[in-house]
Structure formats: C-alpha cells, structure tokens
Amino acid sequence: MAFAPTRAASSPRSLTTLVVFIVVIALTVTFTLWSDAVGFASTRTSKRFSIVLDAGSTGSRVHVFTFQTDYFGRERLHSEYFHAIEPGLKSYGSSADAASASLDELISRAKSVVPERARSATPFSVRATAGLRLMPEGQDAADAIMDSVRAKIARAGFHPQSETFVSIMDGVDEGAHGWVATNYLLERLGKSPESTVAVIDLGGGSTQIAYAVGSAIMDKAPSGYVRKIQTPFSAYNAYIHSFKGYGLVAVRAKLYRFGKRDEDGTHPCLPGSVQDTCTKDCYGLEPGETYEAKGSATLGTDFKRCLAAVIETFKEDNRTKCGRGPCSFAGAWTTPRKTPLYVMSYIVERGVQAGAAPHPKTPSTIVSTTAGAFKTAASHACVTPQAKLASEFPLAVAAKVDVDYLCLELTYIYALLTTGYGASDTEAIHMLDKIRYKNQDVEASWALGDGIATLGAATRSYHW
C-alpha cells in the first residue's frame, strides 16, 4: 500500500511572516524599477556629476550630466542641464584671455547645478572641435586659447584632473563619443554589434561616421580606422573616421577649387548674384590658400551639374590620397556598414528646414527620411529662382539660414549620404536631435560620451 509523503505543519505566524517578506521585496523591486524608468531620485543611493563644455565652431555649450546609482548598483543617467552661448572661441582670434573669459557664464551655470560639496569630485572637460582646429590665426593662437582656458578650469574648484581634460578634440574622438552617446541613450550598449546603430554627424568644419564592425574587419583594416571601444557594458570594434574640411561650411572651399565649373567659369551650385570670395585666412583652407566662386545669372543653379561638381571633388581627393582601397571619399578606406543609420546636426536641421524630413512633434521625436528625399529637396532648391528662395523655404528663413546656399548644401548632403557614406536613395535614415531617456529629453551628442569617459577617468571606475 502506497503512502503519500507527509508535510510538516506550518505555523500561521511563520507563514504570515514569509508572505509579508515576499510582498515587501516585490514592492521594493517594482518601485525601484518604476522610479528608474521615470527618473525619480528618491530611490537612488548616490549621485555624481560630469561637466562637458563643447567649444564648437559657432558657439560654446555646457552640459551638466547627473548620474545616479540604484539599489542594484546600476549607474544611470538621471538628467542633463544644457546652456549655450555665442560666439565660439575661434571668433576671439589672438585674444586668448578674452576667449577664456567668455566661458565665465557657462562655468557659473555649471556651479548652479553641482552642489559645492560635490565639485571637487566632478570632472569638468572642455573640448574644442573643428572650428578651433581650422581657425585662420593658426595653431599657435589656438594653443594660446586652450592654455588660457586650461588655467581657468584649474582654478574653478572642480576635480583636480579637470585641467587635463581641456583639449582640441580629435575628430575621431568626437565620432567615438557620439557613437557611444547615441547607443547609450537608445539602450543598445551591452547588446550585439548588429543591434547597435551607425551615427553620422555633420558640423560646420568636419563630418564623422562611426559604426560597429566584426573583429575580422579590425584585423584587416589599415591603421587608424577601427577602434576598440570599451564601454561600461561591453566592448565593441567600431569603424570611425573624421573628415576634416568636409563640414557644411568648410566644404565650400573644396567644391570651388575641385568641382567642375560651367563653361563661363561660374559655379553650378550658386545662384546668379552670389559671389563667394576669400583672399586671406579662409575657413577650411591652409594658410595662404584662397578661393573665388560666383553664380551665373544666365545658367542659374542646376542640381545635376552641382551634384557632378560635388562628386568630382570626392574623386579628386581619392585620386590623390587613396592608398589602400576600397575608399569612400577624401582618400579614406572604408568597409561595409550593416547597422541602421542615424544622423544629427546639420543633416537634421537642413532636412527639416528644406522639407526633406517631417518636422518632429517634440525635440525627442525620431523622424525618418531617405537620401532620396534630400535629392528631391535639393532639386527643388536648385531649380527655384533666386528671388523666390525665401518664399519657397520659409522654415530656413525663420532659422536665419542663407537660402542662397541651399542648392549647394542640400546637394552636398545628398552626395555625402550616398556617394560618401554608402546609403541608397531608399534606405531609412533616422534623424536625431534629442532622445527620450528615463523620462528626460537628452541631446544625442558626443558630449554625453565624453562625460561618461571623463567621469570614469576621474574615478578609475571605467576604462576606455
């Protein structure tokens, strides 16, 4: 005869205690995860700050990032404070002290966010980008500005290593930090390389591209093209390249010098009354180099001829600089991209202003477009008579964009996306301004990536 196993009787008090314990744990976990999603600070165990000052081509911008660690030991971005001023450091030329003094407002803004007791543990980085690298007064003037800024940051009362975080940032670093920031905010870090996204940034002086690649690509790539990126989550191999002089403003000089002109010597990307001339200290050129270009009142702008001029510029640099193929443009080695394409900065701005992309409903709405939409917008800008450009592109006028350059700029962006970076006319291109992260709208910029890096360097907790 079989007997069922006997069970020991549980006391009502023990059972009640166990149930209460389980309920408390469940509520604690649920509330912590919920608060992590909405960004409440009340459930976090610690708070740290990282300050990044972006000294760009046209202005300076300060980002104060607040990170908090939850009960599970996860440090997450909690919030970002942002403030911008104009003009940029390069506008001060040889007046180094005046340039550094222009940052006083941003330093004061940062101090208003970071409590005094936390400042000595808070890194403060200042990164000058392409604008300072290309300033007409030359490298000595740029170095003098950075020395003056470095001395000011050393006296500001933040982390003692902060003065070592003041530099003219290399374009490759800019691309790497931008890639990290975007994938961090999209919560792709820690996943497979195929689950990350590619990032293109187009500034005034340069453009960068970054995307994850396999380890086999790293083994065969020429030196300087594939970098190993160690994030707090996992390591990635990433193709990263910066194209100095190929920003939306700086590239004009290259197009005028190398691009094919019309038979009468006028440039097909410029409308009739425009004369773009520089005889000294030309932005985007080496000292002593000049350029001169004018539009044709007879022929006007034309998309096909303008596109041919842009592509001819790409080919010219490849003919003289491409040492090992395959090359994309400017002599740069390239390798196929297999991840979705996200773009920012001038590509987003001109896309929305010219109708190549829908206007986002909120700053953190990610809208999608295609390179083909930029082609359509460029064609429209090029065929529009100069006198009607303002009425045809009111969003550009409202943003104080010089509409006389829309044909050139939109055609260049189309060629950059396709001939330069390999997108097809129909591939989805996702446009970033800010990203919704933990109930906060956070700017998708390299500054966040740099903030993570300097915070790690200052505390020895992360290694890049």
Side-chain angles (χ1 to χ4, degrees):
M1 184 174 182
F3 293 91
T6 60
R7 293 186 176 88
S10 300
S11 68
R13 178 175 295 180
S14 298
L15 186 59
T16 300
T17 301
L18 179 61
V19 170
V20 170
F21 177 76
I22 292 173
V23 170
V24 169
I25 293 297
L27 288 174
T28 300
V29 171
T30 301
F31 184 67
T32 301
L33 293 175
W34 172 74
S35 64
D36 183 58
V38 300
F40 286 176
S42 58
T43 62
R44 311 304 180 89
T45 59
S46 64
K47 180 184 291 186
R48 297 198 295 170
F49 303 90
S50 185
I51 303 168
V52 179
L53 197 154
D54 167 13
S57 298
T58 58
S60 295
R61 299 160 282 275
V62 70
H63 306 256
V64 183
F65 299 106
T66 302
F67 297 87
Q68 289 185 311
T69 305
D70 63 20
Y71 289 122
F72 297 99
R74 302 171 304 184
E75 187 167 69
R76 302 289 184 88
L77 177 67
H78 178 259
S79 63
E80 177 197 11
Y81 172 84
F82 173 80
H83 187 74
I85 61 172
E86 292 181 350
L89 294 181
K90 77 179 183 69
S91 67
Y92 293 91
S94 299
S95 303
D97 290 342
S100 63
S102 73
L103 304 182
D104 287 343
E105 178 186 345
L106 298 182
I107 294 172
S108 296
R109 294 271 184 171
K111 286 182 175 180
S112 71
V113 178
V114 181
E116 186 174 0
R117 66 180 182 277
R119 290 174 193 165
S120 63
T122 299
F124 193 128
S125 70
V126 180
R127 310 298 189 188
T129 52
L132 207 63
R133 291 197 299 268
L134 298 173
M135 64 184 298
E137 291 80 5
Q139 189 64 46
D140 288 345
D143 290 342
I145 288 176
M146 298 312 293
D147 287 342
S148 183
V149 171
R150 191 173 293 109
K152 180 176 288 288
I153 296 301
R155 299 190 301 267
F158 292 97
H159 193 284
Q161 283 185 261
S162 292
E163 61 181 298
T164 67
F165 302 141
V166 178
S167 65
I168 300 178
M169 187 168 64
D170 181 83
V172 175
D173 293 328
E174 188 175 344
H177 291 322
W179 183 86
V180 170
T182 301
N183 282 279
Y184 176 90
L185 294 173
L186 293 173
E187 300 189 79
R188 304 295 182 96
L189 296 184
K191 299 181 180 180
S192 67
E194 295 77 15
S195 298
T196 63
V197 304
V199 178
I200 293 174
D201 193 5
L202 177 62
S206 62
T207 178
Q208 294 82 33
I209 185 169
Y211 50 91
V213 296
S215 57
I217 299 298
M218 186 172 191
D219 293 337
K220 72 177 185 179
S223 176
Y225 284 94
V226 178
R227 173 183 290 195
K228 191 175 187 65
I229 298 180
Q230 180 67 54
T231 75
F233 307 94
S234 57
Y236 295 92
N237 299 314
Y239 172 90
I240 307 169
H241 196 69
S242 178
F243 297 84
K244 178 182 175 181
Y246 279 89
L248 194 62
V249 178
V251 77
R252 292 179 188 175
K254 291 183 179 294
L255 296 182
Y256 300 157
R257 291 175 61 199
F258 300 126
K260 185 177 180 181
R261 300 195 180 200
D262 290 325
E263 293 180 358
D264 60 355
T266 59
H267 202 282
C269 298
L270 297 177
S273 68
V274 173
Q275 291 192 4
D276 198 353
T277 303
C278 180
T279 59
K280 183 180 179 182
D281 299 333
C282 303
Y283 186 70
L285 297 184
E286 297 297 325
E289 292 184 319
T290 64
Y291 64 78
E292 180 179 4
K294 61 180 180 179
S296 171
T298 303
L299 296 175
T301 51
D302 180 85
F303 171 73
K304 289 184 178 180
R305 290 184 287 117
C306 182
L307 180 62
V310 177
I311 293 176
E312 180 63 26
T313 302
F314 288 166
K315 289 180 178 179
E316 176 66 24
D317 263 359
N318 269 351
R319 280 194 291 266
T320 58
K321 298 178 181 178
C322 183
R324 175 180 168 186
C327 290
S328 55
F329 68 102
W333 178 84
T334 189
T335 187
R337 168 182 55 85
K338 299 181 180 179
T339 52
L341 188 57
Y342 283 65
V343 299
M344 57 181 64
S345 301
Y346 273 129
I347 300 178
V348 176
E349 292 178 18
R350 291 296 183 271
V352 172
Q353 293 159 356
H359 198 288
K361 294 181 179 179
T362 69
S364 59
T365 300
I366 299 176
V367 299
S368 297
T369 186
T370 63
F374 274 95
K375 181 179 181 179
T376 300
S379 298
H380 179 48
C382 294
V383 77
T384 299
Q386 185 178 7
K388 295 184 177 180
L389 283 170
S391 60
E392 287 294 310
F393 297 95
L395 292 180
V397 173
K400 299 182 178 179
V401 172
D402 190 338
V403 292
D404 285 343
Y405 290 93
L406 279 180
C407 175
L408 182 152
E409 292 179 343
L410 293 169
T411 302
Y412 173 65
I413 291 173
Y414 170 71
L416 182 68
L417 292 172
T418 54
T419 303
Y421 288 143
S424 70
D425 276 18
T426 58
E427 179 183 358
I429 296 174
H430 310 285
M431 310 186 82
L432 294 177
D433 179 13
K434 295 186 177 183
I435 297 175
R436 194 72 175 172
Y437 177 86
K438 308 301 180 189
N439 208 39
Q440 301 283 341
D441 284 350
V442 183
E443 184 181 4
S445 72
W446 59 263
L448 174 60
D450 186 52
I452 295 171
T454 54
L455 186 63
T459 60
R460 306 295 183 186
S461 59
Y462 302 146
H463 300 281
W464 289 54

